[in-house]
């Protein structure tokens, strides 16, 4: 692990808006040459946060386009360097001509995510915030976008840093205690304070892990798998939930063979719904493969909708993450009494009971966070937090069992280093490459 190791090389340029014909296009430049590029292109003098409307000129003084140019003097800019932005007509030809012109003025094409990477390297934001930039751009629901914005403003990092500060407090105590002999130590309040501090930190870890789990769901969505015997109405339910006719509905058993998948949003939460083959013994090779895939999809699901025909409903054993759906309730002569909160009586045909089922699914997201406080996080963050938690748990056990304090201090340091991976206070080149290569160019 190294502290921020990357060197920042050269001035970069890229189209910051989406590719293709549009009303406007925004070209962004960052680096030491930005000021000169602004001057040569616009024949205007750049002022910090100043906008000018002017011609944008090629090498032989021909006007390529007219547009609005903005200048931000580093470090008061997105990247922390001198930055300019040119808003021009959104013609791919004009954009190409301007990009070529700017490249002749000592700038090079930016790599994916390079503007944001520079912002991180120049301490304008930490790594979790940089990742939230990508999450915000890629968000497909209002709730995810608002949660990503909260992470971008540092809310997630704040929660991580709070635990890190608590570990620092614990470490400071442990290190102070290393200087005392056992006898002298008994006369101080340190041992009692240490146990109490460690207990409080442990509680904060549990909260953070739960919040991060929800934050990952808010970002990545949940996988909802529909399972059950053939002909119980799985495909009909899938179509009802997804609001279209993606899956083929047929009275012939064994119609759905491969997994059909659709991404939807339930109450603003992203959900990937999977319709699977009916679970039954079959001699048909293709159907057997379908059943195998259905079982695998069930293993990876966050929620399983276990569909049965309401008419031959027996007392089903529910798994922890499953919701029992008694379908075809329109065919019942008498409405049965439903005991469990995790059982829903519905009709995929008439739509009865579907809203209640969707509310129940949304509740899986809301359980740990309300929409006002929800944030986004990634699996990478969870791995580091869990690594930190394991190291901290070792330290905490060591404290309780009066183990050698230098070993406790070592575990605490380990926990802190793992947490620092989340915010990127410590990072490796491989880690940064993996993170920023998934960004789009111009971000
Ligand atoms: P799957 O094999 O489990 O995917 O079941 P399908 O969705 O293909 O449905 C099997 C048959 O049951 C079709 O003829 C559907 O029209 C019918 N069906 C599905 N849901 C309902 C329902 O809620 N009520 C009634 N009356 N029929 C349904």
């Amino acid at each position: 692990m190294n502290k921020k190791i990357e060197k920042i090389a050269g001035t970069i340029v890229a189209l910051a808006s989406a590719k293709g014909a549009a009303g406007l296009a925004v070209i962004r430049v960052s680096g030491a040459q930005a000021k000169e590029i602004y001057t040569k292109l616009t024949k205007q003098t750049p002022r910090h946060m100043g906008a000018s409307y002017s011609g944008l000129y090629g090498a032989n003084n021909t006007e390529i386009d007219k547009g609005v140019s903005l200048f931000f003097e580093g470090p008061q800019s997105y990247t922390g360097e001198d930055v300019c932005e040119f808003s021009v007509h959104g013609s791919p030809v004009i954009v190409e001509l301007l990009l070529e012109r700017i490249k002749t003025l000592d700038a090079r094409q930016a790599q994916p995510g390079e503007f944001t990477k520079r912002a991180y390297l120049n301490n304008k934001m930490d790594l979790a915030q940089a990742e939230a930039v990508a999450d915000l751009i890629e968000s497909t629901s209002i709730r995810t976008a608002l949660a990503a914005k909260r992470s971008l403003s540092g809310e997630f990092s704040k929660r991580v840093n709070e635990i890190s500060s608590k570990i620092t407090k614990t470490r400071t105590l442990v290190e102070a205690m290393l200087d005392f002999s056992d006898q002298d130590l008994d006369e101080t309040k340190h041992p009692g304070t240490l146990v109490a501090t460690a207990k409080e930190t442990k509680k904060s870890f549990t909260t953070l892990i739960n919040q991060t789990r929800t934050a990952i769901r808010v970002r990545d969505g949940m996988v909802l798998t529909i399972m059950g015997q053939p002909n119980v109405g799985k495909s009909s339910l899938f179509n009802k939930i997804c609001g279209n006719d993606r899956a083929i509905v047929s009275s012939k058993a064994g119609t759905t063979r491969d997994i059909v998948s659709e991404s939807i949003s339930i109450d603003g939460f992203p959900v990937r719904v999977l319709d699977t083959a009916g679970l039954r013994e079959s001699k048909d090779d293709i159907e057997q493969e379908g059943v195998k895939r259905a079982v695998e999809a069930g293993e990876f699901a966050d929620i399983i909708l276990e569909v049965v025909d309401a008419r031959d409903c027996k007392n089903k054993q529910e798994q922890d993450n499953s919701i029992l759906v008694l379908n075809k309730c329109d065919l019942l002569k008498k409405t049965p009494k439903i005991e469990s909160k995790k059982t829903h009586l519905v009709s995929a045909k008439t739509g009865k009971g579907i809203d209640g089922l969707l509310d129940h699914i949304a509740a899986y997201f809301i359980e740990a966070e309300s929409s006002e406080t929800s944030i986004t996080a990634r699996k990478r963050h969870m791995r580091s937090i869990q690594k930190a938690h394991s190291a901290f748990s070792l330290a905490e056990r060591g404290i309780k069992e009066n183990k050698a304090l230098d070993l406790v201090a070592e575990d605490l340091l380990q926990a802190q280093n793992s947490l620092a991976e989340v915010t990127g206070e410590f990072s490796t080149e491989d880690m940064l490459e993996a993170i920023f290569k998934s960004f789009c160019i111009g971000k």
Side-chain angles (χ1 to χ4, degrees):
M1 282 283 180
N2 290 305
K3 282 247 174 193
K4 294 177 178 174
I5 16 79
E6 294 259 327
K7 282 191 275 317
I8 302 173
T11 298
I12 51 172
V13 60
L15 175 66
S17 51
K19 263 194 165 162
L24 285 175
V26 179
I27 292 170
R28 178 150 60 175
V29 176
S30 177
Q33 296 302 317
K35 209 177 231 172
E36 202 172 318
I37 289 171
Y38 186 103
T39 313
K40 289 204 166 135
L41 210 64
T42 63
K43 302 191 180 185
Q44 308 281 318
T45 312
R47 282 174 297 113
H48 175 58
M49 298 268 278
S52 62
Y53 176 70
S54 70
L56 298 161
Y57 299 94
N60 47 7
N61 274 338
T62 48
E63 189 180 282
I64 301 173
D65 195 10
K66 272 196 164 61
V68 175
S69 308
L70 275 168
F71 180 74
F72 302 88
E73 184 141 26
Q76 293 172 75
S77 68
Y78 181 71
T79 60
E81 307 169 329
D82 283 355
V83 167
C84 36
E85 287 174 14
F86 304 103
S87 293
V88 296
H89 291 104
S91 141
V93 180
I94 295 288
V95 167
E96 205 45 50
L97 284 173
L98 285 168
L99 286 175
E100 284 314 312
R101 163 74 171 138
I102 293 168
K103 283 178 198 165
T104 62
L105 298 172
D106 210 9
R108 66 164 170 82
Q109 176 67 39
Q111 314 247 310
E114 198 171 356
F115 290 95
T116 307
K117 188 176 183 180
R118 288 182 177 208
Y120 158 68
L121 293 172
N122 288 323
N123 297 318
K124 297 298 288 186
M125 57 177 76
D126 66 37
L127 203 49
Q129 287 174 296
E131 289 167 304
V133 172
D135 295 345
L136 177 60
I137 294 171
E138 284 158 22
S139 58
T140 51
S141 74
I142 294 174
R143 193 181 286 261
T144 312
L146 293 178
K149 221 181 112 277
R150 241 170 256 120
S151 287
L152 172 57
S153 67
E155 181 57 37
F156 177 49
S157 308
K158 194 177 107 203
R159 297 181 198 185
V160 173
N161 289 335
E162 269 166 15
I163 298 208
S164 193
S165 304
K166 284 184 179 153
I167 301 177
T168 307
K169 213 165 123 191
T170 320
R171 255 182 72 199
T172 312
L173 256 171
V174 168
E175 270 154 26
M177 286 163 75
L178 282 169
D179 297 334
F180 284 89
S181 71
D182 283 352
Q183 267 171 338
D184 291 346
L185 203 54
D186 287 343
E187 284 163 26
T188 70
K189 288 199 174 119
H190 289 351
T193 315
L194 182 60
V195 172
T197 315
K199 202 170 152 198
E200 191 194 314
T201 312
K202 197 178 166 193
K203 236 169 90 189
S204 306
F205 255 118
T206 310
T207 310
L208 181 68
I209 287 173
N210 287 337
Q211 288 173 337
T212 307
R213 188 172 295 123
T214 308
I216 292 171
R217 281 183 181 172
V218 171
R219 174 186 183 262
D220 296 348
M222 276 201 292
V223 176
L224 178 81
T225 302
I226 304 178
M227 297 183 86
Q229 296 289 311
N231 252 335
V232 292
K234 296 181 300 301
S235 298
S236 307
L237 187 65
F238 175 90
N239 289 340
K240 200 81 197 165
I241 291 176
C242 299
N244 61 26
D245 285 337
R246 265 296 306 281
I248 300 166
V249 172
S250 159
S251 54
K252 205 167 146 229
T255 325
T256 308
R257 308 237 169 147
D258 205 352
I259 292 170
V260 184
S261 143
E262 188 81 42
S263 291
I264 58 161
S265 147
I266 299 179
D267 259 15
F269 294 112
V271 180
R272 197 151 69 87
V273 189
L274 307 180
D275 181 22
T276 62
L279 302 175
R280 66 166 182 180
E281 297 278 330
S282 169
K283 293 213 162 56
D284 179 325
D285 281 357
I286 302 173
E287 196 178 345
Q288 267 177 18
E289 180 59 26
V291 172
K292 192 173 142 242
R293 289 184 189 189
V295 172
E296 281 169 8
E299 281 163 9
F300 288 106
D302 293 294
I303 307 173
I304 296 173
L305 293 190
E306 219 176 303
V307 188
V308 294
D309 190 316
R311 289 168 298 175
D312 38 63
C313 155
K314 295 166 201 97
N315 243 346
K316 271 263 175 181
Q317 183 63 41
E318 294 170 37
Q319 294 180 48
D320 241 14
N321 62 340
S322 77
I323 298 174
L324 183 61
V325 181
L326 312 180
N327 188 35
K328 305 196 187 184
C329 74
D330 56 296
L331 298 177
L332 290 175
K333 291 194 179 72
K334 218 174 112 209
T335 308
K337 197 162 178 282
I338 305 293
E339 304 282 348
S340 163
K341 277 198 185 124
K342 289 178 75 184
T343 301
H344 290 260
L345 193 62
V346 309
S347 167
K349 190 175 174 187
T350 66
K352 190 167 182 253
I354 301 290
D355 282 348
L357 178 63
L358 294 180
D359 286 347
H360 189 161
I361 295 166
Y364 272 79
F365 282 99
I366 308 170
E367 104 213 344
E369 293 250 23
S370 75
S371 63
E372 286 74 36
T373 55
S374 72
I375 49 173
T376 50
R378 298 176 170 209
K379 292 194 182 92
R380 172 189 90 75
H381 302 142
M382 186 61 127
R383 281 195 293 275
S384 298
I385 291 169
Q386 276 171 333
K387 228 166 42 180
H389 182 235
S390 304
F392 182 79
S393 298
L394 279 180
E396 202 235 1
R397 197 172 330 137
I399 291 168
K400 267 200 215 142
E401 294 171 0
N402 271 327
K403 292 249 166 74
L405 284 176
D406 48 352
L407 295 181
V408 170
E410 192 57 40
D411 288 331
L412 290 173
L413 181 65
Q414 189 58 49
Q416 241 174 345
N417 285 345
S418 296
L419 278 185
E421 287 173 8
V422 176
T423 50
E425 201 184 313
F426 284 92
S427 59
T428 62
E429 284 199 47
D430 286 352
M431 189 169 138
L432 295 186
E433 201 196 312
I435 291 169
F436 287 103
K437 79 170 183 225
S438 65
F439 274 63
C440 44
I441 291 176
K443 203 51 240 162

